[in-house]
Amino acid sequence: QVPLPESDADHMHRCSMMAMLVTNQSVKSEDDYTLNNERFHPSNIDGNKLLRMALTHDLCESLAGDITPFCSAHEISSKQDKEHAAMEQIRSVVGDPLGQELFDLWKEYEELKTPEAIYCKDIDKFEMVMQAYEYEKMHLKHKDDCDNNVDENDVCHAPMRTFFRTTNSS
């Protein structure tokens, strides 16, 4: 357990700030990248789109909940359907054209077929790793300061190794 964990809104705000920082940097790389058999250069990233995507990529979790690798198999298997339904509901409440834009940004992020979506996913994972590191830095006690009743799910007594492992493939 983490004392006072960040909310989805906190997470999306930090991702948005990171997106602003990424798109505000002059790209020094001369390398092009290949995505879906198309070449692109990082300087061609649509910064406005990336920012809007980062700001809203987990909006569906406000209704669907935050489904993580630590949830039950049933929750994980129904994640896409729940999030899709949540985004349809948000679209309906917000109304178009903004509702459609929110839905489209979420879908693009989930499909990971554009450079902006891939950058946003990288930012998402990086922010989660940074947050876990901050939790450990603030709350993890030295092993000599712990009693014998260690709860491995408590950040105060055990490092967040399992959390970090969930981002290894990213």
Side-chain angles (χ1 to χ4, degrees), residues 6 10-15 18 121-134 163:
E6 78 172 349
D10 295 328
H11 166 70
M12 288 187 296
H13 179 262
R14 282 176 47 141
C15 286
M18 289 178 185
K121 188 62 148 180
D122 287 347
I123 289 168
D124 175 65
K125 296 296 185 186
F126 180 71
E127 193 284 329
M128 290 190 314
V129 168
M130 289 298 300
Q131 187 63 59
Y133 172 76
E134 290 171 6
F163 177 87

mmCIF file of all heavy atoms in Angstrom, residues 6 10-15 18 121-134 163:
data_model
loop_
_atom_site.group_PDB
_atom_site.id
_atom_site.type_symbol
_atom_site.label_atom_id
_atom_site.label_comp_id
_atom_site.label_asym_id
_atom_site.label_seq_id
_atom_site.Cartn_x
_atom_site.Cartn_y
_atom_site.Cartn_z
ATOM 1 N N GLU A 6 -0.984 8.789 -6.093
ATOM 2 C CA GLU A 6 -1.441 9.756 -7.085
ATOM 3 C C GLU A 6 -2.764 9.295 -7.685
ATOM 4 O O GLU A 6 -3.036 8.105 -7.786
ATOM 5 C CB GLU A 6 -0.395 9.962 -8.178
ATOM 6 C CG GLU A 6 -0.330 8.870 -9.207
ATOM 7 C CD GLU A 6 0.583 9.176 -10.386
ATOM 8 O OE1 GLU A 6 1.035 10.315 -10.552
ATOM 9 O OE2 GLU A 6 0.845 8.240 -11.152
ATOM 10 N N ASP A 10 -3.761 13.263 -11.426
ATOM 11 C CA ASP A 10 -2.351 13.603 -11.162
ATOM 12 C C ASP A 10 -1.461 13.007 -12.243
ATOM 13 O O ASP A 10 -0.569 13.664 -12.772
ATOM 14 C CB ASP A 10 -1.891 13.048 -9.808
ATOM 15 C CG ASP A 10 -2.589 13.659 -8.610
ATOM 16 O OD1 ASP A 10 -2.965 14.840 -8.662
ATOM 17 O OD2 ASP A 10 -2.748 12.929 -7.607
ATOM 18 N N HIS A 11 -1.707 11.737 -12.551
ATOM 19 C CA HIS A 11 -0.906 11.019 -13.547
ATOM 20 C C HIS A 11 -1.011 11.695 -14.913
ATOM 21 O O HIS A 11 0.003 11.955 -15.572
ATOM 22 C CB HIS A 11 -1.354 9.560 -13.617
ATOM 23 C CG HIS A 11 -0.847 8.812 -14.797
ATOM 24 N ND1 HIS A 11 0.483 8.465 -14.949
ATOM 25 C CD2 HIS A 11 -1.490 8.359 -15.901
ATOM 26 C CE1 HIS A 11 0.633 7.824 -16.094
ATOM 27 N NE2 HIS A 11 -0.548 7.746 -16.692
ATOM 28 N N MET A 12 -2.239 11.994 -15.351
ATOM 29 C CA MET A 12 -2.411 12.603 -16.669
ATOM 30 C C MET A 12 -1.802 14.005 -16.717
ATOM 31 O O MET A 12 -1.264 14.418 -17.744
ATOM 32 C CB MET A 12 -3.893 12.626 -17.058
ATOM 33 C CG MET A 12 -4.426 11.248 -17.400
ATOM 34 S SD MET A 12 -6.121 11.222 -18.047
ATOM 35 C CE MET A 12 -7.052 11.833 -16.663
ATOM 36 N N HIS A 13 -1.857 14.730 -15.600
ATOM 37 C CA HIS A 13 -1.250 16.063 -15.556
ATOM 38 C C HIS A 13 0.258 15.965 -15.747
ATOM 39 O O HIS A 13 0.857 16.701 -16.539
ATOM 40 C CB HIS A 13 -1.587 16.775 -14.250
ATOM 41 C CG HIS A 13 -0.962 18.125 -14.146
ATOM 42 N ND1 HIS A 13 0.206 18.337 -13.464
ATOM 43 C CD2 HIS A 13 -1.326 19.311 -14.675
ATOM 44 C CE1 HIS A 13 0.535 19.620 -13.570
ATOM 45 N NE2 HIS A 13 -0.364 20.227 -14.293
ATOM 46 N N ARG A 14 0.886 15.040 -15.020
ATOM 47 C CA ARG A 14 2.343 14.889 -15.156
ATOM 48 C C ARG A 14 2.727 14.417 -16.550
ATOM 49 O O ARG A 14 3.718 14.869 -17.121
ATOM 50 C CB ARG A 14 2.889 13.941 -14.089
ATOM 51 C CG ARG A 14 3.004 14.632 -12.739
ATOM 52 C CD ARG A 14 3.449 13.726 -11.626
ATOM 53 N NE ARG A 14 4.586 12.886 -11.948
ATOM 54 C CZ ARG A 14 5.578 12.603 -11.115
ATOM 55 N NH1 ARG A 14 5.579 13.117 -9.900
ATOM 56 N NH2 ARG A 14 6.555 11.804 -11.463
ATOM 57 N N CYS A 15 1.933 13.512 -17.130
ATOM 58 C CA CYS A 15 2.195 13.075 -18.507
ATOM 59 C C CYS A 15 2.083 14.261 -19.467
ATOM 60 O O CYS A 15 2.893 14.390 -20.395
ATOM 61 C CB CYS A 15 1.212 11.980 -18.917
ATOM 62 S SG CYS A 15 1.529 10.370 -18.164
ATOM 63 N N MET A 18 5.134 16.377 -19.245
ATOM 64 C CA MET A 18 6.238 15.710 -19.944
ATOM 65 C C MET A 18 6.080 15.845 -21.456
ATOM 66 O O MET A 18 7.062 16.065 -22.168
ATOM 67 C CB MET A 18 6.319 14.241 -19.541
ATOM 68 C CG MET A 18 6.796 14.033 -18.128
ATOM 69 S SD MET A 18 6.803 12.266 -17.728
ATOM 70 C CE MET A 18 7.234 12.332 -16.001
ATOM 71 N N LYS A 121 2.524 6.710 -25.046
ATOM 72 C CA LYS A 121 2.649 5.477 -24.265
ATOM 73 C C LYS A 121 3.991 5.440 -23.533
ATOM 74 O O LYS A 121 4.062 5.041 -22.372
ATOM 75 C CB LYS A 121 2.509 4.256 -25.181
ATOM 76 C CG LYS A 121 2.443 2.949 -24.441
ATOM 77 C CD LYS A 121 1.217 2.909 -23.547
ATOM 78 C CE LYS A 121 0.681 1.523 -23.410
ATOM 79 N NZ LYS A 121 -0.498 1.469 -22.564
ATOM 80 N N ASP A 122 5.057 5.875 -24.222
ATOM 81 C CA ASP A 122 6.373 5.936 -23.573
ATOM 82 C C ASP A 122 6.352 6.915 -22.403
ATOM 83 O O ASP A 122 6.902 6.638 -21.337
ATOM 84 C CB ASP A 122 7.455 6.346 -24.574
ATOM 85 C CG ASP A 122 7.800 5.240 -25.553
ATOM 86 O OD1 ASP A 122 7.402 4.082 -25.330
ATOM 87 O OD2 ASP A 122 8.476 5.546 -26.559
ATOM 88 N N ILE A 123 5.719 8.061 -22.600
ATOM 89 C CA ILE A 123 5.598 9.052 -21.527
ATOM 90 C C ILE A 123 4.803 8.463 -20.367
ATOM 91 O O ILE A 123 5.168 8.620 -19.197
ATOM 92 C CB ILE A 123 4.952 10.353 -22.049
ATOM 93 C CG1 ILE A 123 5.938 11.088 -22.962
ATOM 94 C CG2 ILE A 123 4.490 11.242 -20.900
ATOM 95 C CD1 ILE A 123 5.314 12.233 -23.752
ATOM 96 N N ASP A 124 3.717 7.762 -20.673
ATOM 97 C CA ASP A 124 2.869 7.127 -19.659
ATOM 98 C C ASP A 124 3.682 6.171 -18.798
ATOM 99 O O ASP A 124 3.642 6.228 -17.570
ATOM 100 C CB ASP A 124 1.732 6.385 -20.370
ATOM 101 C CG ASP A 124 0.866 5.582 -19.432
ATOM 102 O OD1 ASP A 124 0.191 6.183 -18.576
ATOM 103 O OD2 ASP A 124 0.852 4.332 -19.560
ATOM 104 N N LYS A 125 4.443 5.292 -19.436
ATOM 105 C CA LYS A 125 5.252 4.315 -18.695
ATOM 106 C C LYS A 125 6.364 5.009 -17.907
ATOM 107 O O LYS A 125 6.652 4.646 -16.763
ATOM 108 C CB LYS A 125 5.853 3.272 -19.644
ATOM 109 C CG LYS A 125 4.831 2.414 -20.341
ATOM 110 C CD LYS A 125 4.065 1.561 -19.359
ATOM 111 C CE LYS A 125 3.132 0.623 -20.091
ATOM 112 N NZ LYS A 125 2.278 -0.123 -19.184
ATOM 113 N N PHE A 126 7.005 6.002 -18.519
ATOM 114 C CA PHE A 126 8.077 6.730 -17.833
ATOM 115 C C PHE A 126 7.535 7.430 -16.586
ATOM 116 O O PHE A 126 8.145 7.380 -15.518
ATOM 117 C CB PHE A 126 8.729 7.747 -18.774
ATOM 118 C CG PHE A 126 9.831 8.536 -18.128
ATOM 119 C CD1 PHE A 126 11.045 7.940 -17.823
ATOM 120 C CD2 PHE A 126 9.649 9.879 -17.816
ATOM 121 C CE1 PHE A 126 12.064 8.664 -17.214
ATOM 122 C CE2 PHE A 126 10.661 10.607 -17.209
ATOM 123 C CZ PHE A 126 11.868 9.999 -16.916
ATOM 124 N N GLU A 127 6.365 8.041 -16.694
ATOM 125 C CA GLU A 127 5.771 8.728 -15.540
ATOM 126 C C GLU A 127 5.469 7.725 -14.437
ATOM 127 O O GLU A 127 5.708 8.000 -13.261
ATOM 128 C CB GLU A 127 4.499 9.483 -15.949
ATOM 129 C CG GLU A 127 4.003 10.473 -14.887
ATOM 130 C CD GLU A 127 3.311 9.850 -13.688
ATOM 131 O OE1 GLU A 127 2.663 8.786 -13.832
ATOM 132 O OE2 GLU A 127 3.418 10.409 -12.577
ATOM 133 N N MET A 128 4.981 6.540 -14.795
ATOM 134 C CA MET A 128 4.679 5.527 -13.779
ATOM 135 C C MET A 128 5.948 5.071 -13.062
ATOM 136 O O MET A 128 5.938 4.899 -11.843
ATOM 137 C CB MET A 128 3.973 4.326 -14.412
ATOM 138 C CG MET A 128 2.567 4.630 -14.857
ATOM 139 S SD MET A 128 1.583 3.190 -15.354
ATOM 140 C CE MET A 128 2.667 2.264 -16.385
ATOM 141 N N VAL A 129 7.025 4.894 -13.815
ATOM 142 C CA VAL A 129 8.291 4.485 -13.192
ATOM 143 C C VAL A 129 8.809 5.590 -12.278
ATOM 144 O O VAL A 129 9.268 5.329 -11.159
ATOM 145 C CB VAL A 129 9.332 4.103 -14.275
ATOM 146 C CG1 VAL A 129 10.714 3.969 -13.683
ATOM 147 C CG2 VAL A 129 8.917 2.808 -14.961
ATOM 148 N N MET A 130 8.719 6.833 -12.736
ATOM 149 C CA MET A 130 9.153 7.960 -11.900
ATOM 150 C C MET A 130 8.328 8.031 -10.613
ATOM 151 O O MET A 130 8.858 8.280 -9.533
ATOM 152 C CB MET A 130 9.043 9.287 -12.660
ATOM 153 C CG MET A 130 10.063 9.448 -13.765
ATOM 154 S SD MET A 130 11.768 9.432 -13.166
ATOM 155 C CE MET A 130 11.754 10.819 -12.067
ATOM 156 N N GLN A 131 7.025 7.814 -10.728
ATOM 157 C CA GLN A 131 6.157 7.866 -9.554
ATOM 158 C C GLN A 131 6.523 6.758 -8.577
ATOM 159 O O GLN A 131 6.602 6.987 -7.371
ATOM 160 C CB GLN A 131 4.691 7.750 -9.965
ATOM 161 C CG GLN A 131 3.724 7.953 -8.814
ATOM 162 C CD GLN A 131 3.805 9.347 -8.226
ATOM 163 O OE1 GLN A 131 3.597 10.322 -8.920
ATOM 164 N NE2 GLN A 131 4.109 9.442 -6.952
ATOM 165 N N ALA A 132 6.772 5.559 -9.081
ATOM 166 C CA ALA A 132 7.164 4.448 -8.201
ATOM 167 C C ALA A 132 8.484 4.759 -7.507
ATOM 168 O O ALA A 132 8.648 4.498 -6.304
ATOM 169 C CB ALA A 132 7.268 3.150 -8.998
ATOM 170 N N TYR A 133 9.420 5.316 -8.243
ATOM 171 C CA TYR A 133 10.712 5.703 -7.660
ATOM 172 C C TYR A 133 10.492 6.735 -6.543
ATOM 173 O O TYR A 133 11.083 6.624 -5.468
ATOM 174 C CB TYR A 133 11.626 6.273 -8.743
ATOM 175 C CG TYR A 133 12.896 6.872 -8.197
ATOM 176 C CD1 TYR A 133 13.941 6.057 -7.766
ATOM 177 C CD2 TYR A 133 13.050 8.251 -8.091
ATOM 178 C CE1 TYR A 133 15.105 6.597 -7.255
ATOM 179 C CE2 TYR A 133 14.217 8.803 -7.578
ATOM 180 C CZ TYR A 133 15.236 7.981 -7.164
ATOM 181 O OH TYR A 133 16.381 8.522 -6.644
ATOM 182 N N GLU A 134 9.616 7.707 -6.792
ATOM 183 C CA GLU A 134 9.334 8.725 -5.763
ATOM 184 C C GLU A 134 8.672 8.103 -4.544
ATOM 185 O O GLU A 134 8.966 8.498 -3.411
ATOM 186 C CB GLU A 134 8.470 9.833 -6.357
ATOM 187 C CG GLU A 134 9.233 10.685 -7.357
ATOM 188 C CD GLU A 134 8.349 11.646 -8.128
ATOM 189 O OE1 GLU A 134 7.143 11.758 -7.820
ATOM 190 O OE2 GLU A 134 8.882 12.291 -9.055
ATOM 191 N N PHE A 163 6.141 -3.778 -9.458
ATOM 192 C CA PHE A 163 5.649 -2.668 -10.275
ATOM 193 C C PHE A 163 6.623 -2.369 -11.408
ATOM 194 O O PHE A 163 6.217 -2.213 -12.555
ATOM 195 C CB PHE A 163 5.462 -1.419 -9.408
ATOM 196 C CG PHE A 163 5.016 -0.234 -10.207
ATOM 197 C CD1 PHE A 163 3.674 -0.020 -10.452
ATOM 198 C CD2 PHE A 163 5.934 0.650 -10.738
ATOM 199 C CE1 PHE A 163 3.260 1.056 -11.210
ATOM 200 C CE2 PHE A 163 5.534 1.729 -11.496
ATOM 201 C CZ PHE A 163 4.192 1.926 -11.727
#
